[in-house]
C-alpha cells in the first residue's frame, strides 16, 4: 500500500513538473528595433506566452535601468508580442539592452540613437526588398544577411554594427504570404535576428503581405500618416533626411489621403529637410491608376 501511495505522489510531482515546464514562455522572435528617434526607441519581441514586458538598458553592459511595456495577442493563442518604448535618451548615443519575460531573458544587444539634423552627421542605410522565401534557394535571405551584410560591415568598418549602419529599409514583400503566421518567424525575423536586434527596421507593404493583420501586429511604425490608414504610409527622420514609406498596392496607391501625406511630409518643421527618400513596393512605371505620374514618382532629392 505504501508503495502505491509513493508511486502516486511521484506521478503527481512529475505531472506538476512537466506542466510547469510547459507553462514557461519561450522566445519565438528575438528582440528587434522600431521607430528610433534622437530621444526614444521601441523594442519588440515575441514569446510563446507571458504578459511581462521588460527591457533592461543602460549606456554600458551593466545596464542598470528598466522600462516596462505591454504585451498583445498575435494569433489567438497564448503567444504574445511585446513592445516597450524607452524615452528620455540622448541623441547619437550607444545604449545596451536586453529583454525579459518571466524566466525568458535575451542576450545583451546594443543600438545607437539618431542624431539631430543640425548635427550634420553622415550615415549608412541599407535597403532590400523582395526577400520572401525563394523555394529554389530557401536560405538565400539568411545567406545575404549573415554571410554578406554582417561580415561586410565588420570587415569594412571594424566597429559595432550600430556605428556602421543607421537603419534598414524593406520596400515590400517581406514574406511569401503575409497571412501565413509561421512565415514571419521562420522566413523574415529568424534569418535577420542578428541584424534587426541592433539596427532599426522600417518596412512598407508589398503585395505579398496581403494587407495581413500580422504585418500591423509585428511592426510599430511611425503613426504620422493618415489616422484612418495608420502605418499604411508614414515618414521617418534620420538626421537631415526624411524617409517616406508608401503603400503602392491595389486599393491604396490612388487614395488621395496618401498623396496629401506626401505633400505634407516634404516639409519638416516649416522647412524642407535636406534629403527626401520615398520607398514603396511597386515601381511607378508598373502602375496604372488615376493618380498622375507626378504624384507617383519615387525620388531621392536634395535641396
Amino acid at each position: 500500500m505504501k508503495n502505491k501511495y509513493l508511486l502516486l505522489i511521484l506521478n503527481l510531482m512529475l505531472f506538476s513538473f512537466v506542466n510547469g515546464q510547459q507553462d514557461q514562455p519561450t522566445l519565438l522572435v528575438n528582440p528587434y528595433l522600431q521607430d528610433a528617434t534622437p530621444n526614444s526607441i521601441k523594442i519588440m519581441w515575441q514569446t510563446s506566452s507571458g504578459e511581462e514586458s521588460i527591457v533592461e538598458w543602460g549606456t554600458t553592459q551593466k545596464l542598470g535601468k528598466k522600462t516596462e511595456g505591454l504585451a498583445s495577442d498575435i494569433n489567438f493563442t497564448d503567444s504574445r508580442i511585446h513592445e516597450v518604448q524607452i524615452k528620455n535618451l540622448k541623441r547619437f548615443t550607444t545604449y545596451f539592452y536586453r529583454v525579459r519575460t518571466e524566466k525568458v531573458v535575451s542576450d545583451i544587444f546594443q543600438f545607437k540613437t539618431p542624431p539631430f539634423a543640425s548635427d550634420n552627421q553622415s550615415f549608412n542605410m541599407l535597403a532590400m526588398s523582395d526577400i520572401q522565401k525563394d523555394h529554389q534557394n530557401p536560405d538565400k535571405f539568411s545567406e545575404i544577411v549573415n554571410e554578406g551584410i554582417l561580415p561586410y560591415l565588420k570587415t569594412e568598418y571594424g566597429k559595432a554594427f550600430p556605428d556602421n549602419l543607421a537603419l534598414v529599409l524593406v520596400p515590400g514583400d517581406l514574406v511569401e504570404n503575409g497571412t501565413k503566421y509561421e512565415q514571419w518567424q521562420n522566413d523574415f525575423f529568424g534569418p535577420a535576428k542578428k541584424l534587426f536586434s541592433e539596427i532599426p527596421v522600417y518596412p512598407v507593404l508589398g503585395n505579398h503581405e496581403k494587407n495581413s493583420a500580422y504585418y500591423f501586429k509585428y511592426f510599430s511604425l511611425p503613426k504620422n500618416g493618415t489616422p484612418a490608414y495608420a502605418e499604411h504610409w508614414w515618414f521617418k527622420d534620420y538626421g537631415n533626411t526624411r524617409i517616406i514609406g508608401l503603400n503602392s498596392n491595389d486599393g491604396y496607391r490612388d487614395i488621395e489621403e496618401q498623396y496629401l501625406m506626401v505633400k505634407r511630409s516634404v516639409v519638416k518643421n516649416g522647412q524642407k529637410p535636406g534629403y527626401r527618400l520615398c520607398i514603396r513596393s511597386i515601381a511607378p512605371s508598373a502602375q496604372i491608376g488615376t493618380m498622375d505620374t507626378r504624384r507617383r514618382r519615387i525620388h531621392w532629392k536634395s535641396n
Side-chain angles (χ1 to χ4, degrees), residues 21-167:
Q21 291 292 99
Q22 291 176 342
D23 290 341
Q24 290 300 321
T26 57
L27 191 62
L28 299 180
V29 174
N30 266 38
Y32 56 100
L33 304 177
Q34 294 280 277
D35 199 10
T37 77
N39 304 119
S40 68
I41 197 166
K42 295 175 183 176
I43 299 172
M44 301 182 71
W45 67 100
Q46 184 182 0
T47 57
S48 58
S49 62
E51 299 295 328
E52 186 176 62
S53 307
I54 294 175
V55 174
E56 299 167 342
W57 58 279
T59 54
T60 70
Q61 293 196 37
K62 293 182 179 180
L63 307 178
K65 297 184 179 181
K66 182 174 74 172
T67 301
E68 297 187 22
L70 299 173
S72 58
D73 168 74
I74 178 67
N75 66 339
F76 303 105
T77 67
D78 291 335
S79 183
R80 292 291 182 267
I81 291 284
H82 306 268
E83 179 177 338
V84 176
Q85 184 176 32
I86 305 175
K87 300 180 179 179
N88 300 316
L89 302 176
K90 295 180 180 179
R91 76 182 194 279
F92 214 50
T93 300
T94 297
Y95 290 90
F96 297 85
Y97 79 95
R98 68 184 174 196
V99 305
R100 181 185 295 274
T101 299
E102 299 177 16
K103 291 186 178 181
V104 172
V105 182
S106 74
D107 294 334
I108 295 178
F109 304 104
Q110 64 185 90
F111 63 84
K112 192 169 187 176
T113 51
F116 289 150
S118 57
D119 292 327
N120 293 315
Q121 290 284 345
S122 62
F123 64 93
N124 299 318
M125 70 173 71
L126 169 69
M128 51 184 178
S129 66
D130 289 277
I131 54 179
Q132 72 270 26
K133 188 172 185 176
D134 179 351
H135 291 278
Q136 293 189 0
N137 299 281
D139 299 321
K140 183 57 65 177
F141 180 41
S142 177
E143 178 185 328
I144 289 171
V145 172
N146 298 294
E147 298 178 33
I149 295 167
L150 298 182
Y152 171 81
L153 290 173
K154 186 174 182 179
T155 301
E156 189 73 11
Y157 298 98
K159 296 181 180 180
F161 298 141
D163 289 325
N164 307 330
L165 186 62
L167 49 91

